[in-house]
Amino acid sequence: MNQAITAAGGRRLTRNKAFVLQRRADDRKNGLLACLPDEDFDMLKSYLEVVELPQGKVLCNSGICPTHVYFPVTAVVSHIYIADTGATLELATVGCDGMVGISVFMGGDSTLSLAVVQRGGTLLRVPARELQVAFEKGGALQHLFLRFTQSLLNQMTQVAACNRHHSLYQQLCRWLLSNADLSPGSDILQSQEAIAHALGVRREGVTAEAGRLRDDNAICYDRGRITVLDRVKLETGTCECYARVRKETARLLPREVAM
């Protein structure tokens, strides 16, 4: 019997479909790859390589053509802009539902930002040339990767607007929520100095606002480990940017990918 079951988020799946999705998740690890039809995934699978990379590892440098496209599994990757003055700003983050290296198939070869591992872990990677060949064949792979690209650009746009128009307290709440979504548990392994670099502000500002959240029992932190205690308080404290990014990601990507 093709019995229906309830998956995460309350959506209904047949048992057969649920089995297929689970098999893909087990085999492919990355959610974006898991949503590819078998014939599209087959174009990449023989080239996929599993790599373990530490925090701080640069995947794609500014102005340089990537050699590989990466699909995070347990790692989290940040897209960062570095000004001539040395000031930094995090433009977007990518976890197990995305990919790093979209310039390979967008035709521009390189970008002004760099991609660096924010949280060390496992990634799948494929040579840039092989990914480009598969993309140029069109079909579901091209369609899915273009929709992910749009969701990534939406995230960058919203982050830029947030950094310009909203308070540091709101930005910090947004950043904590977004990174908690990409973490396997409730802990975020980042120092306050690293968060300050991500938000493009002084560390003292992050320390003060993090202290407010700690005093309100929304988070606790100790030596580079932040634990989210109350998501509702963070969601109340943040601006509309967090919800907008989540809504757009859910609209553009399959539910099995959008987190």
Side-chain angles (χ1 to χ4, degrees):
M1 182 173 65
N2 206 20
Q3 181 181 357
I5 61 175
T6 302
R11 63 189 184 280
R12 302 287 287 179
L13 300 173
T14 64
R15 186 171 298 277
N16 286 346
K17 184 176 181 182
F19 174 79
V20 170
L21 291 176
Q22 182 60 51
R23 176 181 60 79
R24 286 179 177 175
D26 291 342
D27 292 344
R28 308 184 191 182
K29 309 300 182 183
N30 173 275
L32 203 61
L33 294 177
C35 284
L36 287 174
D38 290 338
E39 58 270 25
D40 291 88
F41 179 71
D42 287 345
M43 292 189 287
L44 300 178
K45 69 178 182 180
S46 62
Y47 302 105
L48 284 172
E49 176 187 7
V50 180
V51 292
E52 294 284 338
L53 298 178
Q55 183 180 42
K57 174 68 176 179
V58 175
L59 303 183
C60 303
N61 264 303
S62 170
I64 298 178
C65 300
T67 59
H68 293 80
V69 175
Y70 292 84
F71 298 88
V73 178
T74 60
V76 175
V77 179
S78 294
H79 289 280
I80 299 175
Y81 176 77
I82 302 179
D84 291 342
T85 61
T88 61
L89 180 65
E90 184 181 81
L91 304 174
T93 53
V94 178
C96 65
D97 54 349
M99 63 190 297
V100 178
I102 63 172
S103 63
V104 166
F105 56 79
M106 291 299 291
D109 294 334
S110 64
T111 66
L112 293 176
S113 63
L114 61 85
V116 59
V117 177
Q118 180 194 107
R119 188 182 74 221
T122 305
L123 304 94
L124 298 171
R125 72 179 185 182
V126 61
R129 176 56 184 165
E130 304 305 330
L131 191 285
Q132 186 178 37
V133 169
F135 180 85
E136 290 175 352
K137 291 182 179 179
L141 183 147
Q142 183 183 94
H143 182 69
L144 180 62
F145 287 4
L146 284 176
R147 291 178 76 88
F148 169 76
T149 299
Q150 184 176 345
S151 74
L152 184 65
L153 293 176
N154 285 342
Q155 183 185 166
M156 292 179 173
T157 300
Q158 199 69 50
V159 167
C162 185
N163 290 341
R164 175 66 178 84
H165 295 291
H166 297 138
S167 69
L168 178 54
Y169 182 83
Q170 292 173 312
Q171 292 178 50
L172 180 59
C173 289
R174 170 187 57 79
W175 191 93
L176 290 170
L177 286 167
S178 297
N179 281 268
D181 290 343
L182 299 175
S183 300
S186 58
D187 291 346
I188 301 169
L189 304 179
Q190 285 291 319
S191 66
Q192 291 184 16
E193 183 175 1
I195 297 173
H197 284 303
L199 297 178
V201 298
R202 298 181 63 183
R203 176 180 176 178
E204 292 81 0
V206 171
T207 299
E209 302 302 347
R212 288 178 59 190
L213 290 170
R214 179 195 57 198
D215 293 344
D216 198 29
N217 293 318
I219 64 171
C220 66
Y221 57 82
D222 180 56
R223 296 183 180 182
R225 180 183 297 272
I226 301 173
T227 302
V228 175
L229 302 177
D230 193 330
R231 282 187 61 97
V232 173
K233 289 180 179 178
L234 290 180
E235 290 170 357
T236 300
T238 193
C239 47
E240 71 273 13
C241 299
Y242 171 70
R244 284 184 176 178
V245 170
R246 282 180 61 88
K247 182 179 179 180
E248 277 296 283
T249 300
R251 181 181 71 85
L252 290 166
L253 298 176
R255 287 195 174 188
E256 290 73 32
V257 175
M259 298 294 184

